């Protein structure tokens, strides 16, 4: 019955189209079924496709709409989020397909941010792997698990660059750097969407939060964002574009205003840049109630005005505000919104549904069998454990790590035995009962735990609710009682390994003076307990590198590696009139790209293939990296450049390449990077994008503050 019904309803649609003698005329869709539907849909049905409501399974915003099932049945809502499992999505899909006039399938979305049931480390941790392949693998596994639970669409990758540790959502992004963030946004998109979006195990990606949501003033969530167009394009937009260039077919508008205009109504962002410059072909969805929040912004007089502003700016789908459902028809009838505008929104949504294969089989993703087979498999868990190890960053170590198996060690701290905090925020359908062990439990499996041991593992950090959405902090230190415990242990002459679980860069200045080692574990996910033990006992040699700068204190913020030199750089320690502080150095506590290993890596001097190049040419920079320690290890070799003189001032360092190399003890590998005009291109004073001739410095090393340099020129 079900399949026959669908065939019959679509056949009817196509028949009506043909009988109107309009079949065959290309009206712009790449899917004939979309053309056929558009020809017979009423204005109300088209508006229904622009509406997205949450189910009542979980709440990710301030409002909940109870009548969503009636809305689906009445064709008022064509898209649902926060609903999953094969059975539940099958039931909702049945209502849409079999109880509405045209049977257009629903699109099911969900926040699959760092895993679905197998939870991976938070995205800020994933970015510290500096490994696009691992990030892609984590997204691939998440897609397989989520689609097996009936989902079509994830609100990920989060591409927001951030240099603001007070902002709780820094935990969800890839840190401070546009080059690294771009590589990882593209990797995540590839992982979700694969090569065939119509396959039943690939997931529609959603590039968010467009744009520059990660730069709220004072680090307070939802706060004002204001920056120059140049700074926006140079340091914040690239990751969004990289995800779109990787094929992402949906974009989420951000809550924030930018240059005085809420992104939800920014024609400049949604039309000029996204569609006209970048050629984006998918659909744009608002963030949760983003449309009606424009009244609070003081940008719309009322919700009807907000709906008109949003749809005329290029927003195709309204998440949760119901403004499109309530006002679009009236706005079209009043001539304030053209029917073509609504047609364009509807068509973009239908085309993505067609790309997902939903018109061929609306139930394609609702497979209880696949759900059972794909979820939390041993392979998924093993990948999550390995990637968690790769994401951890050894910040300091006086030689106490790795710990020796079999020697008693005490374990303490507020997060030592927490399974819940391992999963962090935006944990998807992750469940604490799926977490096999806490950090304490994992250490106990390896070592006898003795409270009187001379070596103590102190597991401290932030309650996982202290980062994520609506979780900004004005103080980025550890809670006083945790630092007091560390002081006490040191007063008892204990050796202390501090393991930090947190969702943001923290001010660890005092801890860095007290602890014998600090391991940045972030929130490492379902298998994170084992991963911490793997690193502590040397079963995994830490290789993570910071994707975000750790300040000495909040007073240094914002602090990031691509700073400008200023007219009075701080170069003379006793000088007064230079850009400096009276109470702290300019340098951060831990620099971008910092991360230690249990072995040592030594770099040769960078060698250039030529002293200069011009036009479409290029030069190659080679450097040797040697493992001069006693353990195998992995190093991330980083390439930075500096344009010494530009038509606008240029950063003292900009990341332009990175490469992970795994070396056995005594092994040496040559790493090379190509530098061409693309490497040197930037937004010039006239806002054109391209290189400028002149002299440059390049820097190669294992951290932005541990580099060897060379000089080259780019000539006419
Ligand atoms: C939230 C978040 C966004 C999320 C959406 C749906 O408010 O800002 O990241 O995807 O609503 O849950």
């Amino acid at each position: 019955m079900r399949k026959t019904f669908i065939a019959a309803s679509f056949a009817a649609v196509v028949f009506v189209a043909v009988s109107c003698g309009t079949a065959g005329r290309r009206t712009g869709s790449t899917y004939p079924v979309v053309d056929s539907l558009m020809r017979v849909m009423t204005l109300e049905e088209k508006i229904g496709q622009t509406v997205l409501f949450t189910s009542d399974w979980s709440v990710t915003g301030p409002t909940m709409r109870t009548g969503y099932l009636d809305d689906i049945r009445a064709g008022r809502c064509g898209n649902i989020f926060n609903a999953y499992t094969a059975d539940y999505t099958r039931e909702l899909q049945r209502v849409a397909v079999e109880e509405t006039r045209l049977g257009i399938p629903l699109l099911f979305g969900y926040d699959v941010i760092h895993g679905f049931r197998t939870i991976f480390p938070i995205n800020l941790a994933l970015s510290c792997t500096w490994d696009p392949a691992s990030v892609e693998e984590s997204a691939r596994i998440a897609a397989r698990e989520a689609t097996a639970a009936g989902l079509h669409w994830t609100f990920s990758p989060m591409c927001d660059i951030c240099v603001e540790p007070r902002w709780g959502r820094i935990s969800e992004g890839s840190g401070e750097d546009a080059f690294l963030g771009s590589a990882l946004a593209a990797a995540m998109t590839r992982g979700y969407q694969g090569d065939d979006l119509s396959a039943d195990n690939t997931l529609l990606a959603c590039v968010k939060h467009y744009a520059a949501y990660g730069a709220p003033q004072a680090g307070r969530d939802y706060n004002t964002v204001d920056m120059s167009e140049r700074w926006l394009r140079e340091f914040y937009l690239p990751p969004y574009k990289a995800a779109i260039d990787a094929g992402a077919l949906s974009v989420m508008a951000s809550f924030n205003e930018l240059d005085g205009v809420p992104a939800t109504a920014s024609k400049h962002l949604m039309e000029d840049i996204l569609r006209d410059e970048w050629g984006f072909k998918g659909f744009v969805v608002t963030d949760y109630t983003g449309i009606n929040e424009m009244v609070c912004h003081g940008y719309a007089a009322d919700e009807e005005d907000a709906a008109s502003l949003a749809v005329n700016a290029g927003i195709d789908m309204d998440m949760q505000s119901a403004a499109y459902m309530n006002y679009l028809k009236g706005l079209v009838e009043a001539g304030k919104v053209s029917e073509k505008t609504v047609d364009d929104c509807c068509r973009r949504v239908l085309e993505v549904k067609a790309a997902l294969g939903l018109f061929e089989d609306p139930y394609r993703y609702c497979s209880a069998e696949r759900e059972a087979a794909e979820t939390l498999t041993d392979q998924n868990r093993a990948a999550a454990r390995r990637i968690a190890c790769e994401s951890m960053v050894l910040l300091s170590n006086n030689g106490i790590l790795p710990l020796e198996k079999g020697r008693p060690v005490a374990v303490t701290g507020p997060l030592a035995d927490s399974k819940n905090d391992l999963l962090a925020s935006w944990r998807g359908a992750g469940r604490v009962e799926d977490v096999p062990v806490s950090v304490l439990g994992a250490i106990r499996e390896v070592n006898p735990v003795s409270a009187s041991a001379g070596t103590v593992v102190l597991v401290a950090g932030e309650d996982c609710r202290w980062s994520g959405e609506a979780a900004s902090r004005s103080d980025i230190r550890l809670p006083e009682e945790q630092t007091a415990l560390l002081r006490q242990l040191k007063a008892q002459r204990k050796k202390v390994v501090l393991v930090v679980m947190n969702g943001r860069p923290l001010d660890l200045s005092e801890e860095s003076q007290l602890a014998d080692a600090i391991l940045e574990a972030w929130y490492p996910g379902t298998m994170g307990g084992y991963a911490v033990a793997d690193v502590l006992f040397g079963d995994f040699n830490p290789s993570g590198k910071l994707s975000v700068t750790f300040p000495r204190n909040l007073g240094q913020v914002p602090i990031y590696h691509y700073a400008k030199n200023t007219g009075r750089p701080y170069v003379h320690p006793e000088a007064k009139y230079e850009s400096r502080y009276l109470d702290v150095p300019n340098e951060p506590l831990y620099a971008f790209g910092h991360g230690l290993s249990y072995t040592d890596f030594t770099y040769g001097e960078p060698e250039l293939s030529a002293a200069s190049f011009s036009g479409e040419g290029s030069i190659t920079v080679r450097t040797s990296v040697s493992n001069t320690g006693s353990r195998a290890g992995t190093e991330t070799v980083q390439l930075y450049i500096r344009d010494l003189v530009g038509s606008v001032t240029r950063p003292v360092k900009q990341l332009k390449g990175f490469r992970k190399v795994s070396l056995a003890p005594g092994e040496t590998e040559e790493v090379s990077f190509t530098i061409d005009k693309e490497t040197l291109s930037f937004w010039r004073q006239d806002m054109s994008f391209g290189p400028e001739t002149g002299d440059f410095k390049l820097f190669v090393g294992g951290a932005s503050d541990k580099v060897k340099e060379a000089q080259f020129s780019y000539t006419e």
Side-chain angles (χ1 to χ4, degrees), residues 416 437-447 528-534 537:
V437 290
S438 63
V439 172
L440 172 62
I443 292 174
R444 276 202 177 122
E445 288 187 18
V446 176
N447 244 35
Y530 283 127
V532 169
D534 291 342
F537 291 97

Side-chain angles (χ1 to χ4, degrees), residues 60 81 111 155 169 208-209 252 255 287-288 319 469:
T60 53
F81 66 117
D111 291 285
F155 304 130
R169 303 196 77 168
K208 77 183 187 183
H209 304 80
M252 184 185 293
F255 289 123
D287 202 341
Y288 205 110
M319 179 193 287
E469 184 170 359

Side-chain angles (χ1 to χ4, degrees), residues 159-285:
C159 301
D160 305 333
I161 291 296
C162 184
V163 297
E164 241 310 339
R166 290 172 287 188
W167 190 51
R169 303 196 77 168
I170 194 172
S171 60
E172 300 173 42
S174 293
E176 70 187 44
D177 186 82
F179 186 89
L180 177 62
S182 298
L184 301 181
M188 203 151 237
T189 301
R190 291 191 301 268
Y192 288 135
Q193 297 197 166
D195 299 326
D196 175 6
L197 206 47
S198 69
D200 65 3
N201 63 4
T202 54
L203 199 57
L204 170 67
C206 184
V207 184
K208 77 183 187 183
H209 304 80
Y210 181 66
Y213 178 41
Q217 290 179 357
R220 198 172 74 241
D221 207 354
Y222 317 122
N223 203 9
T224 304
V225 173
D226 207 301
M227 62 178 72
S228 71
E229 177 90 359
R230 180 188 319 284
W231 199 268
L232 174 73
R233 285 178 176 272
E234 183 97 35
F235 302 116
Y236 283 81
L237 289 189
Y240 304 111
K241 184 178 187 301
I244 287 158
D245 290 347
L249 280 179
S250 72
V251 167
M252 184 185 293
S254 56
F255 289 123
N256 58 281
E257 68 170 71
L258 181 61
D259 193 18
V261 177
T264 306
S266 170
K267 217 173 169 63
H268 180 54
L269 286 175
M270 304 305 162
E271 300 286 346
D272 302 343
I273 298 176
L274 185 62
R275 294 195 185 280
D276 297 348
E277 274 186 50
W278 296 354
F280 175 62
K281 300 295 181 209
F283 68 79
V284 179
V285 62

Side-chain angles (χ1 to χ4, degrees), residues 612-636:
S612 67
F613 71 102
S614 62
E616 303 300 321
S618 65
I619 54 173
T620 301
V621 54
R622 283 188 177 76
T623 188
S624 66
V625 186
S626 303
N627 179 345
T628 50
S630 58
R631 281 173 175 268
T634 298
E635 170 71 328
T636 300

Side-chain angles (χ1 to χ4, degrees), residues 445-463:
E445 288 187 18
V446 176
N447 244 35
V449 177
S450 156
S452 63
T455 299
V456 181
V457 174
L458 168 57
V459 186
E462 297 178 305
D463 179 306

